[in-house]
Amino acid sequence: MKILGTKLISECTAHDFKDELERKKIRHWLKSVSAFANTEGGALYFGVSNDGTVTGLKDIQADSDFISEKINAHLDPIPDWTLTPAEDEEGHKVLELLVKPGQFTPYYIFLDGSRQAYVRSCNESKQATSRQLLNLVLKGTNRSWDALPSQEKISKHSFKMLANEYHERTRFQWDDKYPESWGLVMEDGTLTNGGLLFSDNCNVYQSRVFCTRWDGLTKTDAINDAEFSGNLLYLLKMMTGFIKSSTAKRWFKLPDYRLNFPEYADRAIQECCVNHLIHRDMTEVGSEVHVDIYDNRIEFYSPGGMFDGTRIQDRDILKVPSKRRNPIIADVFTQLDLMEKRGSGFQKITAHTSELRLYSKDLAPTFESDASSFFTTVYSVLYGKTDADFQRIIDEESTPKTENTTQKTTPKDENSTPKTNLKEEKSTPKKLGATAQSILDILSEDPYLKREEIAARAGLKLEGLKYQLAQLQKKGYLLRIEGRKTGCWKVLIKK
């Protein structure tokens, strides 16, 4: 506790100020003890007004005894707490009641013949809803919703889609022991809830995604919409496919090839989809994941706020630890190489977006959450851009002109696709082949693809792709940055 003069830190999610110790209405402060123990811990300061001004307590010893007595009598289980006295420069005495986050949730208040548990929401302590109470029970028993047994047996289900995705992404052979070792099937052959979500004939009602392409910047008229239901891998494919078909890319014609400008980073979009599928609160049946596409942005929504009860907008996204609401689901996505164990999703979304040409800091992705919702917004780097913006990038990044060609830009309308007119002087550059151009297009959209993935998308054998990549690098169209495992490709601008 730190007192500056006669002021203390402001009231927030992890702190609560009480001007005095209420002896007749003990629920008013006991609910904060319950809420802190059920979430991420916190502190109550007795003898401090709501604006942080230290007012002091008259009998700090009697107040300490009263607090201890009521916590031990009315909290079950009893949380881990400490009382610390302090004094400001004018002699006002303050009590700090520090409550640590509990491991045996929920922490109930037994009072007036009722038993109630509370959770922290912003700067308030609120009674836990039935859904929040279920999550607290699961947390207290060290279990998660996706680890609970379902009513289905493995004999009625299959994991063909999961097996195919595993082989395609890792190149390893599928083993029929994986579902049990990954927590999808129990020893007696019963599927867990997580197992149902990856089964081919998934029948989990809340495993749904609503996608909408809106006309303009608000929810007025829908250009296209779709509802998808099924297992998580199917939902991921449908989400990314809908987004790709509903977003744009522009191109700039150079002397011998075409340079694509994607509107969004493929890896950032995939990470958004994965995060919202993995971390959604599956105990909330009446809600689903939403993807809303506007002219200038894409908004992702999923039910369930931060698992630790905090608000993401109050956190440094570079320092958010990995706490998983659905660890079995998350582990399967990790096995498929669709996410990392170290929980760097926020950083990856931001980093991949920042790598796009025409990106600026005002287009950085944003993350917002409350007690029951999580939102991610990524912004289009093409919205509002003119031909001059594209030409600036071309001029800044292009390699020197060859002696045999010159380039002249023809002014266009702001909303038109930028092109260039070439004026022949001595010779016309040889146009890049269709296969090589296809590879450049693929890597413009996702520079982190593995060679096997590039070959599959380009319709080439691996040896043929290796030859094409070597030629593109040799001729200055393509650059490899760092190594094979951690590096990426960069399509160069060559005039």
Side-chain angles (χ1 to χ4, degrees):
M1 179 185 353
K2 186 175 182 180
I3 300 175
L4 300 176
T6 59
K7 298 285 286 187
L8 219 155
I9 53 178
S10 299
E11 189 169 349
C12 63
T13 302
H15 299 85
D16 212 351
F17 294 156
K18 302 296 180 183
D19 193 28
E20 60 181 358
L21 176 61
E22 295 177 283
R23 292 174 177 264
K24 293 184 178 181
K25 297 180 179 180
I26 60 175
R27 186 186 297 274
H28 286 185
W29 56 271
L30 279 178
K31 66 182 183 181
S32 293
V33 179
S34 169
F36 286 142
N38 283 327
T39 49
E40 288 299 293
L44 284 83
Y45 294 95
F46 295 95
V48 182
S49 63
N50 287 336
D51 64 357
T53 300
V54 177
T55 56
L57 299 172
K58 294 181 180 180
D59 191 339
I60 196 169
Q61 184 59 54
D63 288 339
S64 297
D65 294 341
F66 185 83
I67 291 170
S68 300
E69 176 190 345
K70 297 306 177 184
I71 290 178
N72 291 331
H74 296 288
L75 266 293
D76 184 44
I78 298 173
D80 189 354
W81 59 275
T82 56
L83 267 176
T84 305
E87 188 174 319
D88 70 2
E89 298 173 353
E90 298 181 3
H92 297 127
K93 293 179 173 59
V94 174
L95 271 177
E96 178 192 53
L97 173 57
L98 181 64
V99 183
K100 294 183 179 180
Q103 297 180 350
F104 306 104
T105 57
Y107 290 83
Y108 293 99
I109 297 176
F110 286 86
L111 192 64
D112 301 328
S114 66
R115 182 180 73 163
Q116 296 174 335
Y118 291 81
V119 293
R120 198 69 175 165
S121 177
C122 297
N123 63 345
E124 294 183 273
S125 298
K126 296 183 178 181
Q127 187 175 347
T129 63
S130 58
R131 180 174 55 82
Q132 291 171 328
L133 195 58
L134 171 59
N135 284 323
L136 288 173
V137 171
L138 292 173
K139 177 183 176 184
T141 56
N142 198 28
R143 302 187 76 181
S144 57
W145 179 89
D146 58 354
L148 296 178
S150 69
Q151 303 298 317
E152 304 286 337
K153 292 291 186 178
I154 183 61
S155 57
K156 297 181 180 180
H157 293 267
S158 60
F159 294 105
K160 291 181 180 179
M161 185 178 294
L162 176 60
N164 291 337
E165 189 73 14
Y166 177 78
H167 175 66
E168 183 177 326
R169 296 193 63 83
T170 67
R171 297 298 163 182
F172 294 125
Q173 291 299 318
W174 173 258
D175 191 321
D176 289 336
K177 297 179 180 178
Y178 286 160
E180 184 174 336
S181 63
W182 291 354
L184 303 180
V185 181
M186 304 178 74
E187 290 184 3
D188 64 356
T190 301
L191 266 66
T192 61
N193 288 333
L196 270 181
L197 288 170
F198 285 101
S199 65
D200 294 328
N201 52 334
C202 171
N203 56 3
V204 179
Y205 172 76
Q206 60 266 41
S207 186
R208 299 185 299 166
V209 175
F210 287 2
C211 298
T212 308
R213 174 60 169 100
W214 298 96
D215 185 12
L217 306 181
T218 59
K219 292 182 179 180
T220 51
D221 297 323
I223 298 175
N224 188 22
D225 62 82
E227 175 184 347
F228 305 108
S229 60
N231 74 42
L232 295 180
L233 296 178
Y234 171 78
L235 293 183
L236 178 60
K237 288 181 182 295
M238 294 300 101
M239 289 171 71
T240 54
F242 186 93
I243 293 171
K244 184 175 286 292
S245 65
S246 302
T247 53
K249 56 186 174 184
R250 298 177 72 177
W251 55 272
F252 203 104
K253 187 177 179 183
L254 294 170
D256 54 346
Y257 70 111
R258 178 181 67 248
L259 180 66
N260 282 340
F261 287 84
E263 188 173 15
Y264 299 95
D266 271 15
R267 288 289 163 130
I269 294 300
Q270 177 175 284
E271 194 70 31
C272 288
C273 294
V274 168
N275 279 358
H276 282 268
L277 288 175
I278 287 176
H279 299 301
R280 69 147 293 177
D281 187 349
M282 285 291 182
T283 64
E284 186 169 336
V285 178
S287 186
E288 57 281 316
V289 175
H290 283 256
V291 179
D292 292 296
I293 306 173
Y294 303 90
D295 287 357
N296 68 333
R297 70 193 187 280
I298 303 175
E299 293 180 354
F300 298 83
Y301 158 81
S302 56
M306 291 285 286
F307 186 49
D308 59 11
T310 61
R311 300 194 311 166
I312 186 61
Q313 58 267 37
D314 298 332
R315 306 282 296 273
D316 181 351
I317 63 170
L318 299 179
K319 298 179 180 179
V320 176
S322 177
K323 294 187 178 182
R324 298 172 175 180
R325 176 179 280 110
N326 302 302
I328 288 178
I329 296 173
D331 286 343
V332 174
F333 272 88
T334 300
Q335 296 289 348
L336 298 174
D337 197 26
L338 285 167
M339 68 172 292
E340 297 177 3
K341 287 185 177 180
R342 57 192 178 95
S344 57
F346 300 138
Q347 301 174 41
K348 289 174 69 175
I349 293 169
T350 302
H352 290 314
T353 300
S354 68
E355 293 170 355
L356 290 171
R357 290 182 168 113
L358 295 171
Y359 170 82
S360 56
K361 290 184 178 180
D362 60 308
L363 299 177
T366 60
F367 309 94
E368 294 184 26
S369 68
D370 55 30
S372 60
S373 308
F374 197 99
F375 296 90
T376 301
T377 304
V378 289
Y379 296 90
S380 167
V381 299
L382 300 185
Y383 181 74
K385 296 298 190 295
T386 66
D387 284 2
D389 296 309
F390 289 87
Q391 187 62 56
R392 174 178 54 81
I393 296 297
I394 297 297
D395 293 339
E396 288 177 356
E397 295 189 26
S398 62
T399 56
K401 298 178 181 179
T402 62
E403 295 181 358
N404 296 330
T405 62
T406 60
Q407 180 172 309
K408 181 180 179 181
T409 303
T410 302
K412 292 282 184 182
D413 179 76
E414 286 189 355
N415 296 320
S416 65
T417 301
K419 300 179 181 180
T420 58
N421 288 339
L422 298 179
K423 183 178 179 181
E424 295 186 359
E425 289 188 354
K426 295 184 179 180
S427 64
T428 301
K430 184 179 179 181
K431 187 177 180 180
L432 200 62
T435 300
Q437 180 65 65
S438 174
I439 293 172
L440 295 184
D441 292 343
I442 292 168
L443 294 177
S444 292
E445 295 181 3
D446 190 347
Y448 288 88
L449 288 172
K450 298 177 182 178
R451 292 185 300 179
E452 292 81 3
E453 295 172 314
I454 304 170
R457 295 193 186 189
L460 297 172
K461 293 183 178 179
L462 187 56
E463 290 303 317
L465 174 72
K466 291 179 180 179
Y467 172 79
Q468 291 285 347
L469 292 175
Q471 291 299 308
L472 287 169
Q473 292 179 82
K474 180 180 178 181
K475 296 177 180 179
Y477 295 100
L478 198 59
L479 177 66
R480 181 66 185 179
I481 301 174
E482 297 183 1
R484 284 182 55 187
K485 291 185 177 181
T486 59
C488 64
W489 297 96
K490 182 176 182 179
V491 179
L492 300 175
I493 297 176
K494 181 181 178 183
K495 284 188 177 180

